[in-house]
Amino acid sequence: MKEDKVIIITMILNLIVAILKLVSGIIFSFSTLIADSIQSFMDFITDITSLIANKIGKRRANKTYPFGYGQVYYLANLFTGILLFLIGIFIVYQFFFFKGELKPNKILFIILLVVLILKSIVVKILKFYGRKYKSELMIEASRESYADFISTCVVLIVFILTLFEKYNTIDINIDKLGSLCMAIYVFYTSIKMIIQNVRGILTNDEENTEVKEEVVNELSKFKELHFKDIKVIKMSTYYSVFIQVKVDEKLTIKKYLLIERKIKSHLKSKNRLFRFIDIEPV
């Protein structure tokens, strides 16, 4: 199964999970679950932006963009961070104006278990194919899905605590408290994302000499080509590698293309953060 197909399948599963959470939260008046469903919708949107960014980011460098299109990863993550911040505002609004009169029952408990099973399936699929294809996109998506899995576990804990709410001597709405904690977490995550990616945009196109040394050492294993110029540019959490090679006239095109594929495969196997590798014969 190809990378894009895996992402699309997990996107569909994330959308099913988000809808299931939202509908259940509204029907059973479960404030924390509604807040958690918003985060699941966020997972779905992140998958879409990541897929689009991955398509654009892999375009070859040109005269207009000599360092490629890697900056699109910053823009995609910045968009996600801003959207997440707005979601945090919505969750706070919900905290003050949503009554959250949860009445625990078996159906809701079963729904939460189904959601946890679906999320665990998504995490396992992304981890398996992420390692198989050495795809940072899927590995990052698996981390986000795992975070959503943990947040659903928190929702389940809140649900269990509400069962003992009648024995609580202090007048505290555990459900609403859970949604407030969810809002604080969302704000923390969004602000962190916004700061990181704004900084990335402002300091973009900087060459990374430390990683460049790693690339030079690995390229020294390929004696068939003479490497003239090597640049390693940090793009968001990833790296773009630009290599100029001098090709022997006796080397056939078929042989050259085979060596080029080997170099790309080798570098990506050594460092999964190498998202884009451009090799230009001169």
Side-chain angles (χ1 to χ4, degrees):
M1 207 176 336
K2 292 183 178 180
E3 183 179 6
D4 289 352
K5 286 185 179 179
V6 174
I7 294 293
I8 290 169
I9 290 170
T10 53
M11 277 170 54
I12 293 169
L13 288 173
N14 278 333
L15 182 60
I16 292 170
V17 166
I19 293 171
L20 196 58
K21 284 182 180 181
L22 181 61
V23 172
S24 301
I26 293 171
I27 291 173
F28 296 104
S29 192
F30 194 177
S31 181
T32 307
L33 185 57
I34 293 173
D36 190 40
S37 74
I38 304 300
Q39 288 198 75
S40 294
F41 275 112
M42 192 68 224
D43 261 2
F44 173 71
I45 294 169
T46 301
D47 285 342
I48 294 174
T49 55
S50 296
L51 199 60
I52 295 170
N54 193 47
K55 287 282 188 185
I56 299 172
K58 283 183 177 179
R59 291 180 181 176
R60 297 179 71 87
N62 51 48
K63 290 181 180 179
T64 308
Y65 298 98
F67 295 107
Y69 292 78
Q71 198 172 29
V72 72
Y73 296 115
Y74 288 113
L75 296 173
N77 289 334
L78 179 60
F79 169 77
T80 302
I82 293 170
L83 196 58
L84 198 58
F85 186 83
L86 295 175
I87 286 169
I89 294 173
F90 172 78
I91 295 173
V92 170
Y93 173 84
Q94 176 193 249
F95 171 77
F96 286 107
F97 296 99
F98 188 76
K99 291 182 178 180
E101 298 174 347
L102 172 64
K103 294 179 180 178
N105 57 77
K106 292 179 181 178
I107 297 173
L108 182 55
F109 179 72
I110 292 169
I111 290 170
L112 289 175
L113 289 180
V114 170
V115 166
L116 285 172
I117 291 168
L118 288 174
K119 286 305 297 186
S120 64
I121 291 171
V122 170
V123 173
K124 286 180 179 179
I125 289 174
L126 289 170
K127 274 188 176 180
F128 175 79
Y129 285 102
R131 288 169 182 168
K132 182 178 179 180
Y133 295 120
K134 297 180 177 62
S135 168
E136 183 60 25
L137 177 64
M138 282 192 280
I139 291 169
E140 187 62 33
S142 73
R143 294 192 192 110
E144 291 172 1
S145 291
Y146 182 71
D148 190 35
F149 174 82
I150 295 299
S151 69
T152 307
C153 289
V154 172
V155 172
L156 183 60
I157 292 169
V158 170
F159 172 81
I160 293 170
L161 289 174
T162 57
L163 297 174
F164 302 96
E165 200 168 23
K166 58 184 177 181
Y167 303 109
N168 188 8
T169 55
I170 306 172
D171 187 22
I172 297 176
N173 189 319
I174 295 173
D175 179 21
K176 293 195 73 175
L177 187 62
S179 67
L180 181 62
C181 291
M182 201 76 73
I184 293 169
Y185 172 74
V186 167
F187 278 128
Y188 168 77
T189 305
S190 63
I191 292 170
K192 187 178 177 182
M193 284 183 72
I194 291 169
I195 292 172
Q196 283 179 343
N197 289 284
V198 167
R199 186 183 298 158
I201 291 170
L202 295 176
T203 60
N204 200 21
D205 294 357
E206 289 187 352
E207 192 169 1
N208 190 299
T209 52
E210 186 180 338
V211 180
K212 180 180 176 179
E213 287 178 10
E214 177 190 339
V215 174
V216 171
N217 290 333
E218 293 301 327
L219 290 177
S220 63
K221 298 174 183 177
F222 296 88
K223 306 297 182 182
E224 302 94 334
L225 300 177
H226 303 284
F227 301 97
K228 291 190 66 177
D229 190 26
I230 300 166
K231 283 186 172 65
V232 179
I233 309 298
K234 185 169 176 57
M235 298 290 184
S236 186
T237 56
Y238 313 112
Y239 294 99
S240 290
V241 182
F242 301 91
I243 305 167
Q244 284 189 338
V245 297
K246 185 177 180 181
V247 183
D248 193 326
E249 292 179 359
K250 295 179 181 179
L251 198 66
T252 63
I253 294 175
K254 185 177 180 181
K255 179 74 173 178
Y256 167 75
L257 292 174
L258 180 63
I259 296 169
E260 185 179 292
R261 283 197 296 270
K262 283 183 179 179
I263 291 172
K264 290 181 178 181
S265 177
H266 178 73
L267 290 178
K268 286 184 178 180
S269 69
K270 292 297 178 182
N271 192 331
R272 57 187 174 82
L273 294 181
F274 290 155
R275 172 57 61 83
F276 177 75
I277 300 172
D278 182 43
I279 303 175
E280 180 188 359
V282 293

